[in-house]
Amino acid sequence: MKITVIGLGYLGATHAVAMAELGHDVIGIEANPQKLADLQNGIVPFYEPGLDEALKNVIAKGNIKFKADHDEESRQADLHFLCVGTPQLPGSYAANTEYLHSAVKALAPYLRQDAVVAGKSTVPVGTSAILTQVLADAAGFAPHLAWNPEFLREGTALEDSLRPDRIVIGVNDEVSEQALRKVYKKILDHGTPFLVTDIPTAELVKVAANSFLATKISFINAMAEIAEVSGADAVALAEAIGYDERIGNKFLRNGIGFGGGCLPKDIRAFMARAQELGVGKAVDFLADVDDVNLRRRARVVDLLNRELGADLSGKRVLVLGAAFKPDSDDLRDSPAIAVAKLIKVTGATVVVHDPISLDHVRAQNPDFVAEQDLALAATGADAVVLATEWAQYREGHIPADLGKVVANKLVIDGRNALKVEKWQQAGWRLIALGRNVEATA
Ligand SMILES: NC(=O)c1ccc[n+]([C@@H]2O[C@H](COP(=O)([O-])OP(=O)(O)OC[C@H]3O[C@@H](n4cnc5c(N)ncnc54)[C@H](O)[C@@H]3O)[C@@H](O)[C@H]2O)c1
């Protein structure tokens, strides 16, 4: 099929490459000149394992191209995917849907009456109905607009796009359903569950899924708060409850919580939208989910104060990891950066290490010492905080190597990802969120 993908960030660039890999002819439209130039040169403008190679492959095959704007070629497309951002509005919990409005207005002059527009961005329920009207006014006919929420995870984005655990489409008409069945045919042929719903359900599926995941993480983090004051162990607790299939053991590791460009803004936008619909009470609990999450970030500073004293000025703290999760360079609402900022406020010198995203750290947080060399980063540190569980921090000889250069062998495991015994054997005092590891050592 001939398709366009509008907005080439973490979601859109991955989706465009995945569609080209499936054999479609793809035109990617990106408003940011730097990102566009990178993509045109075969460079993915962010870190996503495997995506660079896949991009080069589809460029070489000739079935993908990138442009700043639509032109007559867009009119040949049978399907247009909307992948622009829907960030949190400043000063509000609500989502900013203005980029979607601009995107459909720019598309309208090039939209064929029989072509289908499929939104993939995460939106407040009801957005598609508004966009249908905007598009109809601009195009002069009733468009085929569908919603097709995206569930990819940064770090495994391409794999998730090509082998998703389900595809959900919300449609109003047969034309949209057939176009989406056709574009995903190769994936559906593998037996991938395919759910066809009305549009509000499809819009809600994504925010409901993210709210559930956020709640699960905050639930175990709330248990961690209880464990810390009662001498219990939240890691053992998670394992024990996780054996119950109804609960499951995934997304149940306590730590400094969730972040990134999706979960925090999605639960807030959901609260704002529910309020507008007069059913705010239904998702009031998400405010607690958000609060628990933010409290766990502050817990790290409490522990540093407990261990190093109330005044941290003059102390040097190494934060391991900056991205919101491993295998990503995404710093949006990153718990690691939030923790580093909280430590900085106390007057300590904050050194940040991350395998991939230090350029972003330098650009966005000039207050931190961003050091690429791990041994240099650790030199003279009074404490080390594991904030993002990159594999390189968990494996190898890190406890012994860092132990040689730090001023004080104190490590706070903010992700419950370190091998406790290994660190203790190397002479470290290890404090893990939600557990009293010294008692178990
Ligand atoms: N990042 C993820 O893992 C993920 C997963 C699922 C869903 N989502 C949702 O997908 C949407 C996009 O997220 P993202 O992380 O890719 O955001 P992003 O900010 O990385 O990408 C959005 C891109 O759209 C471009 N853009 C904005 N307006 C445009 C226009 N009119 N024409 C062309 N390009 C335009 C921006 O320049 C930017 O590159 C959001 O709604 C998000 O919630 C993201």
Side-chain angles (χ1 to χ4, degrees):
M1 287 172 87
K2 284 192 185 312
I3 66 171
T4 74
V5 178
I6 302 163
L8 302 172
Y10 289 90
L11 161 65
T14 310
H15 189 66
V17 171
M19 293 300 100
E21 276 214 355
L22 292 178
H24 301 300
D25 271 334
V26 180
I27 302 171
I29 310 279
E30 170 55 49
N32 179 307
Q34 185 58 54
K35 284 189 191 175
L36 176 67
D38 281 352
L39 289 163
Q40 285 170 330
N41 291 321
I43 300 164
V44 176
F46 50 88
Y47 179 75
E48 180 58 49
L51 195 57
D52 252 313
E53 207 187 319
L55 171 64
K56 289 193 176 77
N57 274 342
V58 288
I59 290 178
K61 276 193 204 150
N63 55 341
I64 195 164
K65 59 176 92 161
F66 301 102
K67 301 179 183 181
D69 294 299
H70 295 281
D71 57 23
E72 281 308 314
E73 212 180 354
S74 291
R75 198 184 302 283
Q76 295 167 20
D78 314 296
L79 183 53
H80 306 270
F81 284 107
L82 304 173
C83 298
V84 299
T86 50
Q88 187 176 341
L89 272 171
S92 158
Y93 269 14
N96 181 356
T97 56
E98 137 201 357
Y99 301 103
L100 283 165
H101 285 241
S102 315
V104 297
K105 283 181 197 157
L107 170 64
Y110 303 97
L111 182 66
R112 278 198 337 259
Q113 204 155 347
D114 63 333
V116 171
V117 180
K120 291 195 76 61
S121 307
T122 304
V123 291
V125 61
T127 302
S128 177
I130 298 167
L131 290 177
T132 302
Q133 193 55 53
V134 173
L135 195 47
D137 291 346
F141 55 81
H144 301 289
L145 189 81
W147 219 262
N148 168 215
E150 177 58 56
F151 304 101
L152 66 79
R153 296 159 297 175
E154 288 173 27
T156 51
L158 188 60
E159 174 71 13
D160 290 346
S161 299
L162 292 169
R163 275 167 282 278
D165 42 23
R166 79 289 208 194
I167 292 176
V168 177
I169 64 163
V171 292
N172 272 337
D173 55 66
E174 188 61 23
V175 174
S176 302
E177 181 177 336
Q178 289 315 323
L180 286 161
R181 275 189 190 278
K182 194 168 163 193
V183 83
Y184 291 126
K185 182 172 186 310
K186 281 192 184 161
I187 297 175
L188 298 179
D189 284 350
H190 287 109
T192 304
F194 187 61
L195 288 90
V196 183
T197 71
D198 53 75
I199 288 182
T201 304
E203 290 172 323
L204 268 177
V205 164
K206 177 68 188 178
V207 278
N210 276 357
S211 296
F212 192 90
L213 293 172
T215 304
K216 200 168 178 192
I217 296 173
S218 279
F219 176 82
I220 199 63
N221 279 335
M223 296 306 105
E225 287 190 13
I226 309 281
E228 281 167 359
V229 295
S230 57
D233 184 322
V235 172
L237 174 81
E239 190 187 354
I241 64 174
Y243 278 114
D244 184 331
E245 279 176 9
R246 294 167 303 175
I247 295 173
N249 60 7
K250 298 216 175 95
F251 252 51
L252 214 53
R253 192 192 298 163
N254 89 83
I256 57 172
F258 58 82
C262 291
L263 257 54
K265 62 112 175 144
D266 287 349
I267 62 169
R268 292 174 198 149
F270 198 12
M271 284 187 269
R273 183 62 182 139
Q275 197 87 45
E276 281 170 12
L277 293 169
V279 286
K281 273 234 150 296
V283 288
D284 259 1
F285 69 94
L286 291 175
D288 287 329
V289 167
D290 204 4
D291 279 354
V292 170
N293 194 51
L294 298 178
R295 276 206 300 276
R296 296 316 281 166
R297 298 172 179 188
R299 173 72 182 154
V300 173
V301 180
D302 294 344
L303 290 169
L304 287 172
N305 285 139
R306 191 186 79 190
E307 297 298 316
L308 301 177
D311 183 8
L312 295 182
S313 53
K315 301 288 183 194
R316 192 176 175 88
V317 180
L318 167 62
V319 176
L320 291 179
F324 85 102
K325 66 188 288 194
D327 296 319
S328 171
D329 65 352
D330 196 345
L331 298 188
R332 288 178 292 183
D333 210 338
S334 167
I337 293 292
V339 164
K341 282 184 179 165
L342 290 171
I343 300 170
K344 181 75 200 159
V345 168
T346 67
T349 299
V350 177
V351 185
V352 177
H353 179 274
D354 189 278
I356 296 293
S357 63
L358 283 189
D359 285 345
H360 297 325
V361 174
R362 285 188 192 100
Q364 295 172 27
N365 301 94
D367 283 359
F368 305 150
V369 180
E371 177 51 65
Q372 191 72 63
D373 182 295
L374 190 50
L376 283 181
T379 301
D382 296 290
V384 175
V385 174
L386 178 81
T388 310
E389 67 277 33
W390 284 92
Q392 78 169 80
Y393 302 141
R394 292 187 276 119
E395 290 151 13
H397 300 101
I398 297 284
D401 293 347
L402 298 194
K404 289 182 198 141
V405 293
V406 293
N408 181 29
K409 289 189 191 174
L410 169 67
V411 60
I412 296 183
D413 185 354
R415 293 294 183 184
N416 275 296
L418 300 178
K419 294 189 178 93
V420 176
E421 274 181 18
K422 211 166 137 184
W423 285 76
Q424 286 175 336
Q425 278 161 10
W428 289 77
R429 175 162 160 71
L430 185 145
I431 300 173
L433 263 61
R435 55 192 324 211
N436 181 1
V437 285
E438 272 144 326
T440 57

